[in-house]
Amino acid sequence: MTGPAASVSSSALSPAMGGGGDPLPPLDLSLGVIDPELLPAAADGAGAPPALQGRYAPRAGLPPLRQVLAAMEGVAPDQIVITTGASMALTAAFATLPADRPILLPRPGFPAYANIVRFLGRPAAFYDVMPPVDLVAAIAAALAAGPVPAAVVVNTPGNPLGNLLDADQVAAIQALCRDAGALLIVDETYAGLIFDDPAGRAYIGRGCPAGMLRILSFSKKYRMAGARLGYVVGTADHLARITDVHWTFAMSAPLDAQIMAAGIIARGGPADLSPVLRDLGQRAVERLAGTGAVALPPRGGPVLWVEVPHWPGDSRSLAGLCARAGVLVAPGAAFGIDQPPAIRCCFAVPRPRLDLALDRLVPLFARLADR
């Protein structure tokens, strides 16, 4: 073996082993979803009818679901369109933008942003969101440098950093976009999962003024990741174009999932996971302290960004080391940052599983720091 891994002790590279000498199955912390075992299973959607014997849903979504969401958002039902997950909402929204202007994206950012832009054949530009950067200033600088983007994407709570934008920051970014003639797209996939906002200043979206689109998901807060359901809030004319694109790409969002979502909302919505996520996130940060790894304390969402500056390789080889130790994580490169080497891991799993994963990662990172 050559390269950075060659200088790491064999114990750091050995697979996690069980008592009988067999390799233990890896613990998968690579996806930013909330484990269904984290809270007792709810009866949400129990008995929901199937997808109406092969019929598609209306193009913009099931009317009862659009109506209840419109009431929550304080908008008219024609300002809501239901999509096949938030990723398809992003795809359809990006596809409605002028093809010759870039889309300004956060870095590090959700991998689908850059991938969707690339698949659509659109140009991309980036602004930095790594702390302690001032996000408003970073976006202002990118807009001033040009060319003027078709849209600016912001994400709060953030993936992969767990960062938050406050209401004043979003208002300032909205003004920048308005002055530049760019659409503001606010990705709120992790909405409802804020747990570190003591001053109560975090942006919590409601409604949608002209010049903005809001993207939301049922995957995280509503624990419906496999149902593939999201929605967009925007002006009726823009949503009509998004609806046409979405129908071309995906037809209707799954009808049984829409029925299930409407039922969950009608019964008062899902349980609040914020206190549980706060405790699990703090647990992960505390366990990693002193290992040489630098965990960015999350303020919302289910994921943790961990830099490992003592690793001389890149983030993909670092993720490979973690996998050999028995924990699957996502490499920083997937989010647009390869140096310093970093990983993103999900802490929204039952406490015993999180502790087991940390039991495997803590000694690995400590060994890397002692090299």
Side-chain angles (χ1 to χ4, degrees):
M1 180 184 297
T2 61
S7 60
V8 181
S9 67
S10 59
S11 61
L13 294 171
S14 301
M17 306 298 286
D22 297 323
L24 293 171
L27 296 167
D28 191 349
L29 303 185
S30 63
L31 297 176
V33 298
I34 294 166
D35 192 288
E37 296 180 26
L38 192 59
L39 291 177
D44 295 342
L52 298 185
Q53 307 305 318
R55 293 172 56 190
Y56 290 113
R59 291 166 65 100
L62 195 67
L65 179 57
R66 295 176 70 202
Q67 290 164 5
V68 72
L69 290 172
M72 289 171 49
E73 296 287 355
V75 299
D78 64 359
Q79 290 184 266
I80 302 283
V81 62
I82 311 301
T83 60
T84 307
S87 293
M88 188 53 69
L90 289 164
T91 302
F94 289 177
T96 64
L97 300 174
D100 59 343
R101 293 168 59 187
I103 300 174
L104 186 60
L105 306 172
R107 185 162 56 194
F110 179 45
Y113 296 153
N115 288 335
I116 293 169
V117 171
R118 176 167 55 87
F119 293 156
L120 291 174
R122 308 298 174 87
F126 298 91
Y127 65 94
D128 184 21
V129 298
M130 285 297 298
V133 71
D134 180 331
L135 267 68
V136 177
I139 291 172
L143 291 173
V148 175
V152 176
V153 177
V154 299
N155 178 206
T156 184
N159 178 9
L161 301 181
N163 57 305
L164 299 178
L165 288 171
D166 64 38
D168 291 341
Q169 287 176 306
V170 173
I173 296 168
Q174 184 182 357
L176 289 171
C177 291
R178 182 176 60 248
D179 292 344
L183 178 72
L184 175 59
I185 300 177
V186 185
D187 178 1
E188 301 174 42
T189 295
Y190 288 163
L193 303 178
I194 294 172
F195 48 81
D196 181 13
D197 181 31
R201 297 176 57 195
Y203 169 79
I204 299 175
R206 188 173 188 269
C208 198
M212 180 190 290
L213 289 177
R214 295 175 49 234
I215 308 290
L216 295 103
S217 172
F218 284 88
S219 293
K220 279 54 176 192
K221 175 182 176 181
Y222 291 88
R223 306 201 306 273
M224 292 177 60
R228 307 311 304 138
L229 201 62
Y231 66 98
V232 188
V233 189
T235 59
D237 59 338
H238 197 162
L239 291 192
R241 302 198 304 275
I242 289 174
T243 299
D244 288 342
V245 173
H246 184 274
W247 186 260
T248 299
F249 284 165
M251 306 297 280
S252 67
L255 186 51
D256 50 350
Q258 295 189 56
I259 295 169
M260 183 185 301
I264 293 173
I265 296 171
R267 291 190 293 275
D272 182 10
L273 290 180
S274 298
V276 177
L277 294 179
R278 178 196 61 227
D279 293 345
L280 291 170
Q282 288 177 349
R283 174 70 172 172
V285 171
E286 291 168 359
R287 288 284 311 272
L288 291 170
T291 65
V294 181
L296 184 65
R299 301 183 62 200
V303 295
L304 182 69
W305 183 261
V306 183
E307 292 185 356
V308 186
H310 298 286
W311 175 239
D314 59 19
S315 66
R316 296 189 188 279
S317 60
L318 175 62
L321 276 185
C322 295
R324 289 186 64 84
V327 183
L328 303 182
V329 297
F335 305 89
I337 297 289
D338 208 23
Q339 292 293 337
I343 57 170
R344 190 207 71 172
C345 59
C346 178
F347 56 82
V349 297
R351 171 73 173 267
R353 194 180 310 166
L354 178 64
D355 281 339
L356 180 57
L358 292 168
D359 287 343
R360 298 175 182 181
L361 292 179
V362 165
L364 169 65
F365 294 155
R367 284 193 294 268
L368 294 179
D370 291 341
R371 291 173 60 251

